[in-house]
Amino acid sequence: MPYDVIIIGAGPGGLACAAAAASHGLTTLVLERKQIIGRKVCAGGITWNGLLKKIPFDISEKQFAKQQVFTRFQKVCVLSPTPIIATVNREKLAQKMAQLAIEAGGEIRLGCKVSSIDYCRVLCEDKVTGRKEELAFRFLVGADGSSSLVRRYLGLPVSDIGIGINYQIPGDYPEMQWHLDSSLFANGYAWVFPHRNTASIGAYVNAKHMKASTLKANLHTWGDKQGYPLRQHKASAELINFDFRGWHFDNTFLVGDAAGLASGLTGEGIYPAIISGETVGHFLANPEYDVTPLRHLIKNQARHRKMVTLTGKNRALATAASEIVTFCLKTRILDFSHIEMAH
């Protein structure tokens, strides 16, 4: 007997989709190739608006009502009466979201690698026992990240992709910082995102504008200047897909990074994953479900993508854009929330 819904990937998008679909009584199975959910190269930042609206439990580690923004020619402190961004532990977030999915009636299988897909079946293998199994479905949801097998099955290419390089450095770091130095990071940026006992320090850029090896070398140069001991620690890297080409393909759906819904401008992906996953989960049970939140997200994602394309044409334009945006933040012409995917 087939499952109503099989979801490949137990990230925020897949788990949000599972909880929503199962809450309507749909038999829902999540297949995750890793043995432990939640581990991913990620700065762990989520905009406070998105956190409050979509995650009804306290999984934040630190909250920041102050953002320090540095460009080649400016230093700006952005203040807000409420926190602008919170940092979260991805494993704790996954555990909480998995609990909600299971309580709703969903099933999660870890260490289960999907090797092939056809119109109504997936072939998966238990990575511990080696046992292979063919599972049937009515609906398939790809929530399997930027290198999505489901996306490849649909024949959708990925041409717009970002690179994120991250170091998790032990210590107590008091400030959340953004460094927009086009000489080192093109139209990307470096960040300092403090967590409870560590800080995520890294950089992000559009892969079309810089190779990963160059980004890492430039990050080291910047880190040496700032006094961060990056060279003493191991780097982690992740591709971030922002090449959105649709979310609904007959009986197959894409959410989060698999759909290319991350921000090409900032790399923000947790909030888009949760919004798209939750919306698809409800839509599977009721095709009349209001998908306005997803449409709004897609509109914001397209706006970010256009800005990345425009500012990536040359370094002078990237520099001008970062200086103008930072000046507008300083003079309050622009609110920080306008840069958020949750805006």
Side-chain angles (χ1 to χ4, degrees):
M1 192 170 179
Y3 285 90
D4 290 319
V5 185
I6 288 182
I7 301 165
I8 301 179
L15 295 173
C17 185
S23 71
H24 292 284
L26 299 179
T27 54
T28 304
L29 172 65
V30 181
L31 301 174
E32 170 56 50
R33 64 181 177 84
K34 296 179 181 178
Q35 295 287 352
I36 299 174
I37 59 174
R39 290 184 178 176
K40 183 178 179 180
V41 178
C42 177
I46 186 167
T47 57
W48 192 252
N49 287 330
L51 180 67
L52 285 178
K53 290 178 181 178
K54 305 312 304 178
I55 304 177
F57 36 72
D58 183 16
I59 48 83
S60 66
E61 294 192 314
K62 286 189 176 182
Q63 305 85 37
F64 297 89
K66 180 170 67 173
Q67 303 289 305
Q68 300 283 358
V69 183
F70 300 83
T71 70
R72 295 180 67 181
F73 305 108
Q74 298 180 80
K75 175 183 176 181
V76 173
C77 177
V78 180
L79 294 171
S80 172
T82 57
I84 299 171
I85 297 178
T87 51
V88 299
N89 181 299
R90 285 292 298 254
E91 288 191 41
K92 290 181 180 178
L93 171 62
Q95 291 165 6
K96 290 288 188 179
M97 295 190 73
Q99 179 183 346
L100 291 179
I102 292 170
E103 288 174 353
E107 178 186 351
I108 302 173
R109 295 191 195 178
L110 303 180
C112 190
K113 181 182 178 180
V114 176
S115 57
S116 66
I117 304 168
D118 66 24
Y119 184 76
C120 59
R121 288 179 178 83
V122 297
L123 179 64
C124 62
E125 178 181 353
D126 188 300
K127 296 176 70 175
V128 175
T129 66
R131 178 174 176 264
K132 294 183 179 180
E133 186 176 4
E134 191 174 76
L135 301 169
F137 57 81
R138 288 175 54 214
F139 302 110
L140 177 68
V141 179
D144 47 342
S146 295
S147 301
S148 169
L149 175 65
V150 180
R151 186 180 177 112
R152 293 199 300 273
Y153 157 71
L154 291 169
L156 298 176
V158 177
S159 63
D160 287 337
I161 198 158
I163 305 167
I165 296 179
N166 181 68
Y167 290 86
Q168 207 69 29
I169 308 296
D172 183 19
Y173 292 80
E175 294 184 341
M176 179 168 280
Q177 299 181 5
W178 305 72
H179 292 258
L180 313 178
D181 187 339
S182 59
S183 67
L184 293 174
F185 309 118
N187 61 342
Y189 65 98
W191 70 75
V192 179
F193 277 22
H195 288 254
R196 187 156 291 148
N197 298 307
T198 64
S200 166
I201 301 177
Y204 167 81
V205 73
N206 185 344
K208 288 182 178 179
H209 304 145
M210 190 176 295
K211 294 181 179 179
S213 58
T214 303
L215 178 63
K216 184 178 180 180
N218 290 350
L219 180 59
H220 283 175
T221 298
W222 170 83
D224 292 342
K225 184 178 179 180
Q226 299 294 324
Y228 299 129
L230 302 183
R231 299 178 192 270
Q232 301 174 21
H233 298 271
K234 184 179 178 180
S236 300
E238 190 79 36
L239 296 176
I240 300 168
N241 176 18
F242 61 94
D243 193 349
F244 177 73
R245 300 185 185 223
W247 60 277
H248 182 189
F249 306 86
D250 196 10
N251 71 333
T252 303
F253 300 78
L254 295 173
V255 302
D257 278 12
L261 281 169
S263 166
L265 187 65
T266 66
E268 181 185 357
I270 297 176
Y271 181 77
I274 292 174
I275 288 291
S276 58
E278 185 180 70
T279 302
V280 167
H282 289 302
F283 181 84
L284 295 176
N286 174 20
E288 300 301 318
Y289 181 77
D290 183 6
V291 298
T292 298
L294 178 54
R295 287 180 181 148
H296 185 69
L297 175 68
I298 292 168
K299 183 178 179 180
N300 277 345
Q301 195 273 348
R303 179 169 55 89
H304 283 206
R305 190 173 175 181
K306 287 178 182 177
M307 291 176 68
V308 170
T309 301
L310 177 64
T311 58
K313 291 182 177 180
N314 58 65
R315 296 293 173 89
L317 193 54
T319 299
S322 65
E323 297 298 338
I324 291 170
V325 169
T326 303
F327 176 78
C328 288
L329 289 171
K330 179 180 180 180
T331 56
R332 300 186 181 274
I333 295 172
L334 179 68
D335 189 89
F336 201 92
S337 66
H338 286 82
I339 308 171
E340 301 175 8
M341 287 290 280
H343 175 66

